[in-house]
Amino acid sequence: MVKCMNAIVSYFSSLNPMSLLAQLPGNIAQGIIWGIMALGLFITYKLLDFADLSVDGSFATGGAVTAVLVIAGVPVWIAVAVSLIAGIIAGLVTGFLHTVLGIPGILAGILTQIALYSVNLNIMGKSNIPISYRNYQLVLSASDITAAIFIGLVFAVVIIALMYWYFGTEQGSSIRATGSNPAMSRAQGININVTKVIALSISNGLVALSGSLFSQYQGFADINMGRGAIVIGLAAVIIGAVIGEAFFKKGMNFVVRLSFVVVGAILYYIAMGLVLWLKMPTDDTKLFTAVVVAIFLAVPYLQERSRNSFKKVAKQNLKKLLTWEDSTDA
């Protein structure tokens, strides 16, 4: 028992709160970059109701294209724009497989993801390409965390503003209607195949843009940098939705929902930083991510179930009955 207590005391005494605070800006910077990726996932997961698994590949595509073009001497802003276009093309492929060839959405995404692995290898020529800020002019870098946070926020704000404007247009509203009720949308004359392709293209374009920024931030592009991106993006969307509804209840408008997607990504990376600070095994980070996503996915369901439970309805009816009896006695 004494040995156990000594071990616990030794463990907590080895934790330095200052190191946790020191790594916080880096976690925020990464969270913002991945928040842009989550905004792309928000389009397919929340608006279109489409499980697009191709984002793991398109995220790496954005990084690969950026790294190759920057090394070739192309201005970094042009490289970022080309990465965005490459992601749009990846989304078009997923949309083509689903709408034209009739492949189920989840399988279409998997096929695109598998194909992009080889495509990304061909783009880079090898599995890893370094692009150090010392050798190339980059949009942002981990060498200057403050600037990275600011630039990431600028990207996020501009993207949220553009998404708010676009999804308020006729075409954007058609995409939202397609996700809400495809049959009714088709009956109203909306070509749901076109709206699906457009949404998938925009989504993967944003994911590739995020991959481009992340490869610059970390200083290299890697063939596996997008592995698990769908889970991280889903975690950001779900965490943001739960936290946002906790603050705003049902009063969240579209801009607030988009903003909390980025907030969700930041909170996720802060939580990951906390896990690493607690010296938990790095091999278990994927397990931790799965547990976090499962918990936040379950929260809305459990809340709704508790609101509609028979026990709560019985309490409400009893309260009404007691109030009525008090009024009659008076």
Side-chain angles (χ1 to χ4, degrees), residues 60-72:
T61 299
V65 170
T66 297
V68 169
L69 291 180
V70 167
I71 291 174

PDB file of all heavy atoms in Angstrom, residues 60-72:
ATOM      1  N   ALA A  60      -4.116  14.220 -47.161  1.00  0.00           N
ATOM      2  CA  ALA A  60      -2.721  13.970 -47.545  1.00  0.00           C
ATOM      3  C   ALA A  60      -2.414  14.521 -48.933  1.00  0.00           C
ATOM      4  O   ALA A  60      -1.288  14.966 -49.189  1.00  0.00           O
ATOM      5  CB  ALA A  60      -2.432  12.474 -47.497  1.00  0.00           C
ATOM      6  N   THR A  61      -3.400  14.532 -49.816  1.00  0.00           N
ATOM      7  CA  THR A  61      -3.200  15.088 -51.152  1.00  0.00           C
ATOM      8  C   THR A  61      -2.858  16.566 -51.078  1.00  0.00           C
ATOM      9  O   THR A  61      -1.966  17.046 -51.782  1.00  0.00           O
ATOM     10  CB  THR A  61      -4.466  14.897 -52.016  1.00  0.00           C
ATOM     11  OG1 THR A  61      -4.742  13.504 -52.144  1.00  0.00           O
ATOM     12  CG2 THR A  61      -4.277  15.495 -53.404  1.00  0.00           C
ATOM     13  N   GLY A  62      -3.562  17.297 -50.213  1.00  0.00           N
ATOM     14  CA  GLY A  62      -3.267  18.718 -50.052  1.00  0.00           C
ATOM     15  C   GLY A  62      -1.845  18.953 -49.602  1.00  0.00           C
ATOM     16  O   GLY A  62      -1.142  19.831 -50.121  1.00  0.00           O
ATOM     17  N   GLY A  63      -1.370  18.148 -48.657  1.00  0.00           N
ATOM     18  CA  GLY A  63       0.003  18.284 -48.187  1.00  0.00           C
ATOM     19  C   GLY A  63       1.010  17.886 -49.237  1.00  0.00           C
ATOM     20  O   GLY A  63       2.052  18.552 -49.410  1.00  0.00           O
ATOM     21  N   ALA A  64       0.727  16.811 -49.965  1.00  0.00           N
ATOM     22  CA  ALA A  64       1.656  16.331 -50.987  1.00  0.00           C
ATOM     23  C   ALA A  64       1.821  17.345 -52.116  1.00  0.00           C
ATOM     24  O   ALA A  64       2.946  17.644 -52.547  1.00  0.00           O
ATOM     25  CB  ALA A  64       1.167  14.994 -51.544  1.00  0.00           C
ATOM     26  N   VAL A  65       0.710  17.873 -52.601  1.00  0.00           N
ATOM     27  CA  VAL A  65       0.760  18.842 -53.698  1.00  0.00           C
ATOM     28  C   VAL A  65       1.512  20.093 -53.269  1.00  0.00           C
ATOM     29  O   VAL A  65       2.358  20.622 -54.008  1.00  0.00           O
ATOM     30  CB  VAL A  65      -0.671  19.196 -54.162  1.00  0.00           C
ATOM     31  CG1 VAL A  65      -0.638  20.376 -55.139  1.00  0.00           C
ATOM     32  CG2 VAL A  65      -1.332  17.991 -54.814  1.00  0.00           C
ATOM     33  N   THR A  66       1.235  20.571 -52.072  1.00  0.00           N
ATOM     34  CA  THR A  66       1.915  21.766 -51.569  1.00  0.00           C
ATOM     35  C   THR A  66       3.418  21.554 -51.471  1.00  0.00           C
ATOM     36  O   THR A  66       4.218  22.390 -51.904  1.00  0.00           O
ATOM     37  CB  THR A  66       1.356  22.161 -50.189  1.00  0.00           C
ATOM     38  OG1 THR A  66      -0.022  22.489 -50.321  1.00  0.00           O
ATOM     39  CG2 THR A  66       2.103  23.351 -49.617  1.00  0.00           C
ATOM     40  N   ALA A  67       3.818  20.421 -50.892  1.00  0.00           N
ATOM     41  CA  ALA A  67       5.242  20.146 -50.700  1.00  0.00           C
ATOM     42  C   ALA A  67       5.981  20.078 -52.032  1.00  0.00           C
ATOM     43  O   ALA A  67       7.054  20.676 -52.203  1.00  0.00           O
ATOM     44  CB  ALA A  67       5.428  18.843 -49.931  1.00  0.00           C
ATOM     45  N   VAL A  68       5.415  19.380 -53.000  1.00  0.00           N
ATOM     46  CA  VAL A  68       6.069  19.217 -54.304  1.00  0.00           C
ATOM     47  C   VAL A  68       6.182  20.554 -55.020  1.00  0.00           C
ATOM     48  O   VAL A  68       7.232  20.887 -55.599  1.00  0.00           O
ATOM     49  CB  VAL A  68       5.294  18.197 -55.158  1.00  0.00           C
ATOM     50  CG1 VAL A  68       5.802  18.213 -56.596  1.00  0.00           C
ATOM     51  CG2 VAL A  68       5.430  16.806 -54.571  1.00  0.00           C
ATOM     52  N   LEU A  69       5.116  21.355 -54.992  1.00  0.00           N
ATOM     53  CA  LEU A  69       5.139  22.633 -55.701  1.00  0.00           C
ATOM     54  C   LEU A  69       6.079  23.631 -55.037  1.00  0.00           C
ATOM     55  O   LEU A  69       6.796  24.373 -55.718  1.00  0.00           O
ATOM     56  CB  LEU A  69       3.722  23.205 -55.774  1.00  0.00           C
ATOM     57  CG  LEU A  69       2.736  22.448 -56.665  1.00  0.00           C
ATOM     58  CD1 LEU A  69       1.361  23.120 -56.644  1.00  0.00           C
ATOM     59  CD2 LEU A  69       3.248  22.362 -58.097  1.00  0.00           C
ATOM     60  N   VAL A  70       6.097  23.657 -53.713  1.00  0.00           N
ATOM     61  CA  VAL A  70       6.992  24.580 -53.002  1.00  0.00           C
ATOM     62  C   VAL A  70       8.448  24.238 -53.296  1.00  0.00           C
ATOM     63  O   VAL A  70       9.279  25.127 -53.543  1.00  0.00           O
ATOM     64  CB  VAL A  70       6.706  24.541 -51.477  1.00  0.00           C
ATOM     65  CG1 VAL A  70       7.817  25.244 -50.707  1.00  0.00           C
ATOM     66  CG2 VAL A  70       5.376  25.204 -51.175  1.00  0.00           C
ATOM     67  N   ILE A  71       8.774  22.959 -53.282  1.00  0.00           N
ATOM     68  CA  ILE A  71      10.141  22.531 -53.585  1.00  0.00           C
ATOM     69  C   ILE A  71      10.512  22.872 -55.035  1.00  0.00           C
ATOM     70  O   ILE A  71      11.663  23.203 -55.327  1.00  0.00           O
ATOM     71  CB  ILE A  71      10.296  21.021 -53.322  1.00  0.00           C
ATOM     72  CG1 ILE A  71      10.204  20.750 -51.822  1.00  0.00           C
ATOM     73  CG2 ILE A  71      11.617  20.499 -53.869  1.00  0.00           C
ATOM     74  CD1 ILE A  71      10.202  19.284 -51.461  1.00  0.00           C
ATOM     75  N   ALA A  72       9.511  22.834 -55.927  1.00  0.00           N
ATOM     76  CA  ALA A  72       9.758  23.152 -57.338  1.00  0.00           C
ATOM     77  C   ALA A  72       9.897  24.645 -57.583  1.00  0.00           C
ATOM     78  O   ALA A  72      10.154  25.069 -58.717  1.00  0.00           O
ATOM     79  CB  ALA A  72       8.638  22.589 -58.200  1.00  0.00           C
TER      80      ALA A  72
END
